[in-house]
Amino acid sequence: MPSTPIPSWTVGDLTVHRIDEVPLPPATGPWLLPGATPEVVARQDWLRPDFADADGVLRLDSHSFAFVLDGLRVLVDTGIGNGKERADPAWHDLRTDYPERLTAAGFPPDTVDLVLLTHLHADHVGWNTRKADGAWVPTFPHARYVTARAEREFWAGYAMDEARTQMFRDSVLPVERAGLLDPVDVPAGGLELAPGLRLVPTPGHTPGHVAVELTSRGRTALITGDCVHHPVQLAHPAIGACVDIDPRQSEATRRALLASLADTDTLLLGTHFAPPTAGRVVPHGDAYRLRPVHAA
Ligand SMILES: [Zn+2]
């Protein structure tokens, strides 16, 4: 059994579980979001102590979300993965209890029906595969792995460096070769995968990036993926990530998304947000802040 409880939130009839993988190290913030300097962070006292420490160091996590919707067992993003060879020491050769946590939350890997990949970056596709007898095999053998067609096609035409090639080799291609990868067309208005489950195009971080919207009995939640990495970006939507493929589009996406969420009941679930991870977007100064909603 995992050492700590599995947090969850209620959205109408749905229960959304957070499956923790690892906290990201303190050096992640300054590298990933260089605009979020300690001075910028210090001015947003609502970020402390949950989302930043007293010195203005941002807290970021790696986790997935899992839920059952009308019998469909869904996992959103698959973290960094165990035993992957990665240049970043924080991502290299992890040995976490992620599969045990999934199982404890009620999602043994062979029962997952649908894996939604917000985009194809190494910290979102890692548990797509696991090592068995020296080979990378799909962790979720009965699942359809869905990503936007624009995302798959972008990387197919991209001159990948060795690190990215390696990631595709161990975490994307084995799923594709097994016939489990299902690229879908996501129109500008979003794609309904099932009643209450929608992919929302949120390009910029990557061209085919999608957020995931859940609706049940009039309640809505939105899983960010990486269109927002950290709550500091609610106060400063112009702060982008160093790995955004198109920084201007990323900012425009963030501004439009936050404007659409402000003062609504929508529960924002951050893919890299440290606990409490979730909240509502409320106006604050000339932008927004997150009003946290604590997990059960
Ligand atoms: Zn990420």
Side-chain angles (χ1 to χ4, degrees), residues 13-15 67-74 107 113-114 193-198 213-216:
D13 287 339
L14 305 176
T15 303
F67 52 89
V68 183
L69 182 138
D70 286 336
L72 195 66
R73 308 167 65 72
V74 186
F107 298 80
D113 299 308
L114 187 59
L193 289 172
L197 179 59
R198 220 162 62 87
E213 187 190 79
L214 314 174
T215 309
S216 172

Side-chain angles (χ1 to χ4, degrees), residues 119 121 123-124 205 226 229 272:
H119 63 300
H121 271 167
D123 57 323
H124 296 259
H205 179 62
D226 280 0
H229 282 89
H272 288 302

Side-chain angles (χ1 to χ4, degrees), residues 4-64:
T4 50
I6 314 283
S8 65
W9 293 265
T10 298
V11 180
D13 287 339
L14 305 176
T15 303
V16 182
H17 306 268
R18 189 185 75 212
I19 313 298
D20 287 333
E21 188 179 39
V22 280
L24 299 175
T28 306
W31 163 75
L32 183 68
L33 302 168
T37 61
E39 296 72 35
V40 165
V41 174
R43 285 199 294 274
Q44 305 296 329
D45 44 338
W46 60 274
L47 290 172
R48 293 185 298 277
D50 294 327
F51 304 121
D53 73 11
D55 298 323
V57 175
L58 301 181
R59 298 188 207 282
L60 291 135
D61 278 9
S62 174
H63 50 247
S64 302

Side-chain angles (χ1 to χ4, degrees), residues 78-88 91 117-130 136-137 147 151-152 154-156 158 160-177 181 205-206 226 243 245:
T78 65
I80 298 164
N82 270 6
K84 300 278 157 106
E85 245 177 76
R86 297 289 180 257
D88 185 335
W91 295 5
L117 303 169
T118 61
H119 63 300
L120 302 178
H121 271 167
D123 57 323
H124 296 259
V125 300
W127 272 109
N128 279 3
T129 58
R130 63 182 177 85
W136 292 106
V137 301
T147 194
E151 183 72 7
R152 182 64 191 101
F154 171 74
W155 293 112
Y158 189 85
M160 288 194 261
D161 57 15
E162 176 47 32
R164 214 154 242 161
T165 304
Q166 164 85 10
M167 179 277 275
F168 262 76
R169 208 161 42 218
D170 62 40
S171 299
V172 178
L173 298 183
V175 168
E176 200 162 54
R177 291 205 186 101
L181 191 71
H205 179 62
T206 61
D226 280 0
V243 284
I245 296 283

